[in-house]
């Protein structure tokens, strides 16, 4: 079985999954990606993982309409990809996996239709992220569904959206298509000594007795960070020894620094290279994500793999699978300040060690080995079903 995944853009978390898929197919897994959308480090990592089966497509151009960093359905990216179809045809895949309904997916539809091969779509949207989806886009997706044999859904909320909103046949839905780069994060953390962790932690704490909360992500309005920072001003009136690290950069970075720099317990790091992020996961006590909209935020399983309890927004599509209240985390509405304050305070009244263990236990179900096997099984099931027709 030769699998081709056409994915214009991906980051570090996908490399272990692709590597394991290549092993499962005995070197018959292929990936085509856009050089213009993928950082150089990813090009190097994927080529080291699967060699020449990783094909870097050069020369893609895009027309972007709207605000790219805004909420879903507020912008559109139209790719111009001369030569992409020839690369797909040259590989002669038995099945194609495409990302979402647009971008490069029409090329996959064209190939699978004329060559009588099955098509899987990897999909991650939820009813919340698609609450403003225009009718023309929903109608387009329903047309593409007629040429699609199955879907790799990130989780329950994605499955519900496809089934209820787009009326996709539930027999075409496979759950379990997303994972974090867990193994490498855990491996890197294991290289840190206790002394090194203490040295790093001292840079970002005002006391040895409080909890250290961590946010990792883009500093943009969609991530809801302003609501967390405003709530934090009240939180430290009760828990004065707590600290909050903000890892990331973005359009609101300078504004937030100016607005909150007088609060000594808030620590902005700016942009941190992905290969160094593990140091922050290693020293934190709790991971917090106040997003107003996310499909299946990968920083959550990353933090869980590193043994962190989670304070998670209810607008994050991954929470049903990953964040279990009274077990490994708490849920909150970032638009409700009391909800944020309650969620943050919970971690002062629970057994954090038990929460850490539970986070790792839950996340292990979504590691790259299990996810790659889920995808491989879905490919086999779809191929078997189409050959029986």
């Amino acid at each position: 079985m030769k699998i081709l995944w056409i994915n214009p853009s991906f980051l570090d978390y996908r490399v272990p999954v692709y590597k394991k898929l290549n092993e499962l197919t005995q070197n018959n897994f292929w990936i085509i990606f856009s050089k213009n959308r993928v950082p150089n480090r990813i090009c190097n990592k994927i080529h080291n993982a699967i060699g020449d089966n990783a094909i870097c497509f050069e020369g893609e151009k895009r027309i972007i309409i709207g605000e790219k960093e805004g909420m879903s359905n507020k912008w559109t990216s139209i790719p111009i990809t001369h030569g992409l179809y020839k690369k797909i045809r040259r590989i002669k895949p038995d099945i194609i996996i495409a990302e979402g309904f647009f971008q490069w997916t029409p090329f996959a539809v064209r190939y699978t239709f004329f060559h009588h091969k099955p098509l899987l779509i990897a999909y991650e949207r939820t009813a919340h992220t698609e609450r403003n989806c225009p009718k023309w886009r929903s109608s387009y997706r329903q047309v593409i569904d007629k040429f699609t044999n199955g879907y790799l859904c990130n989780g329950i909320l994605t499955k519900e959206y496809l089934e209820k909103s787009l009326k996709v046949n539930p027999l075409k839905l496979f759950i379990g298509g997303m994972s974090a780069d867990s193994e490498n994060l855990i491996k890197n953390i294991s290289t840190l000594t206790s002394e090194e962790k203490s040295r790093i932690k001292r840079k970002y704490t005002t006391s040895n007795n409080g909890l250290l909360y961590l946010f990792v992500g883009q500093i943009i309005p969609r991530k809801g960070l302003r609501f967390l920072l405003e709530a934090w001003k009240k939180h430290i009136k009760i828990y004065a020894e707590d600290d909050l690290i903000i890892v990331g950069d973005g359009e609101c970075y300078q504004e937030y620094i100016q607005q909150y720099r007088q609060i000594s317990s808030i620590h902005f790091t700016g942009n941190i290279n992905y290969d160094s992020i593990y140091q922050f996961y290693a020293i934190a006590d709790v991971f917090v994500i106040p997003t107003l909209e996310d499909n299946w935020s990968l920083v959550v399983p990353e933090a869980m793999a590193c043994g962190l309890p989670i304070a998670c927004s209810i607008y994050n599509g991954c929470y049903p699978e990953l964040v279990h209240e009274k077990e490994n985390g708490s849920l909150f509405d970032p638009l409700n300040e009391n909800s944020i304050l309650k969620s943050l305070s919970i971690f002062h009244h629970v057994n954090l060690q038990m929460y850490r263990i539970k986070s790792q236990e839950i996340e292990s179900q979504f590691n790259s080995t299990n996810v790659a096997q889920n995808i491989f099984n879905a490919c086999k099931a779809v191929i078997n079903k189409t050959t029986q027709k």
Side-chain angles (χ1 to χ4, degrees):
M1 176 172 60
K2 183 182 287 188
I3 301 173
L4 169 62
W5 198 316
I6 56 170
N7 188 356
S9 175
F10 60 92
L11 292 174
D12 309 73
Y13 60 91
R14 269 301 179 197
V15 176
V17 173
Y18 292 156
K19 181 178 180 180
K20 287 178 170 59
L21 280 169
N22 197 43
E23 293 168 358
L24 287 169
T25 58
Q26 298 181 330
N27 203 37
N28 269 311
F29 173 78
W30 298 72
I31 173 77
I32 302 178
F33 61 95
S34 173
K35 182 178 182 180
N36 293 342
R37 300 203 216 182
V38 174
N40 286 333
R41 73 171 190 276
I42 302 301
C43 295
N44 295 330
K45 285 184 178 182
I46 190 62
H47 281 292
N48 288 337
I50 65 173
D52 292 338
N53 287 16
I55 299 175
C56 181
F57 179 75
E58 300 187 31
E60 181 196 30
K61 296 180 180 179
R62 289 192 296 162
I63 299 172
I64 296 177
I65 303 171
E67 297 182 23
K68 185 178 178 182
E69 301 301 339
M71 295 289 190
S72 296
N73 296 296
K74 297 297 183 182
W75 64 284
T76 300
S77 171
I78 302 173
I80 301 172
T81 52
H82 298 300
L84 176 61
Y85 187 73
K86 287 183 179 179
K87 289 187 179 293
I88 295 173
R89 194 171 55 188
R90 193 174 298 135
I91 294 171
K92 299 179 180 179
D94 297 311
I95 184 170
I96 294 182
I97 303 174
E99 290 284 329
F101 289 93
F102 190 50
Q103 297 302 307
W104 291 3
T105 298
F107 296 98
V109 170
R110 176 184 172 187
Y111 179 88
T112 54
F113 178 76
F114 286 108
H115 292 82
H116 307 288
K117 301 296 182 180
L119 169 66
L120 275 172
I121 287 182
Y123 199 65
E124 58 183 21
R125 301 285 187 168
T126 69
H128 177 69
T129 62
E130 298 309 290
R131 64 197 182 280
N132 296 317
C133 181
K135 288 184 179 180
W136 69 263
R137 183 165 283 174
S138 294
S139 298
Y140 165 79
R141 290 169 179 172
Q142 289 173 325
V143 171
I144 294 296
D145 175 58
K146 297 181 184 301
F147 301 93
T148 304
N149 302 92
Y151 296 85
L152 298 170
C153 307
N154 281 6
I156 294 170
L157 296 182
T158 297
K159 181 178 181 293
E160 288 180 354
Y161 169 70
L162 288 170
E163 189 174 345
K164 295 179 181 179
S165 298
L166 296 186
K167 310 303 179 185
V168 172
N169 185 337
L171 296 177
K172 294 165 68 172
L173 304 177
F174 301 87
I175 290 183
M178 186 61 76
S179 71
D181 188 15
S182 310
E183 293 92 336
N184 285 324
L185 287 167
I186 295 169
K187 179 182 176 182
N188 288 335
I189 285 177
S190 69
T191 65
L192 289 175
T193 65
S194 298
E195 290 75 15
E196 287 173 322
K197 290 180 184 178
S198 297
R199 176 179 54 79
I200 298 170
K201 193 168 186 175
R202 283 196 297 270
K203 293 172 59 179
Y204 300 103
T205 52
T206 54
S207 168
N208 293 324
N209 300 318
L211 295 181
L212 180 55
Y213 294 77
L214 172 67
F215 166 89
V216 176
Q218 295 175 290
I219 314 299
I220 57 177
R222 178 170 59 85
K223 293 298 181 178
L225 187 56
R226 180 185 295 278
F227 299 100
L228 172 62
L229 294 171
E230 283 298 310
W232 187 261
K233 293 191 292 187
K234 292 184 179 179
H235 174 79
I236 56 173
K237 290 180 180 180
I238 302 173
Y239 303 101
E241 295 181 309
D242 286 356
D243 287 274
L244 172 64
I245 301 179
I246 307 297
V247 175
D249 199 357
E251 64 178 270
C252 299
Y253 181 68
Q254 291 299 329
E255 175 189 345
Y256 290 174
I257 285 182
Q258 292 296 320
Q259 190 168 353
Y260 300 103
R261 63 182 176 180
Q262 76 279 8
I263 304 174
S264 61
S265 59
I266 298 177
H267 312 272
F268 291 92
T269 71
N271 186 49
I272 298 293
N273 186 289
Y274 177 82
D275 291 328
S276 299
I277 290 291
Y278 72 93
Q279 297 178 13
F280 295 92
Y281 289 135
I283 64 171
D285 295 304
V286 179
F287 186 82
V288 56
I289 178 162
T291 183
L292 302 178
E293 179 186 284
D294 261 313
N295 296 315
W296 212 85
S297 183
L298 280 161
V299 288
V300 173
E302 283 181 359
M304 290 171 62
C306 300
L308 293 184
I310 308 296
C312 183
S313 163
I314 59 173
Y315 305 121
N316 193 335
C318 71
Y319 83 81
E321 288 81 26
L322 299 178
V323 185
H324 301 176
E325 292 194 290
K326 298 183 180 180
E327 292 186 20
N328 78 309
S330 64
L331 300 173
F332 64 90
D333 182 347
L335 300 178
N336 182 325
E337 190 171 80
N338 287 333
S339 179
I340 300 174
L341 292 170
K342 180 181 177 181
S343 183
L344 295 176
S345 69
I346 282 173
F347 299 97
H348 281 273
H349 308 287
V350 299
N351 185 328
L352 284 181
Q353 183 58 27
M354 293 301 296
Y355 272 47
R356 292 187 186 104
I357 293 171
K358 191 64 178 180
S359 272
Q360 290 177 315
E361 179 184 314
I362 295 171
E363 189 280 332
S364 67
Q365 302 170 42
F366 301 89
N367 63 27
S368 58
T369 298
N370 290 335
V371 167
Q373 189 66 57
N374 290 341
I375 295 169
F376 183 70
N377 291 343
C379 289
K380 288 198 300 183
V382 167
I383 286 177
N384 290 339
K385 187 174 180 179
T386 54
T387 54
Q388 291 171 3
K389 290 183 177 180

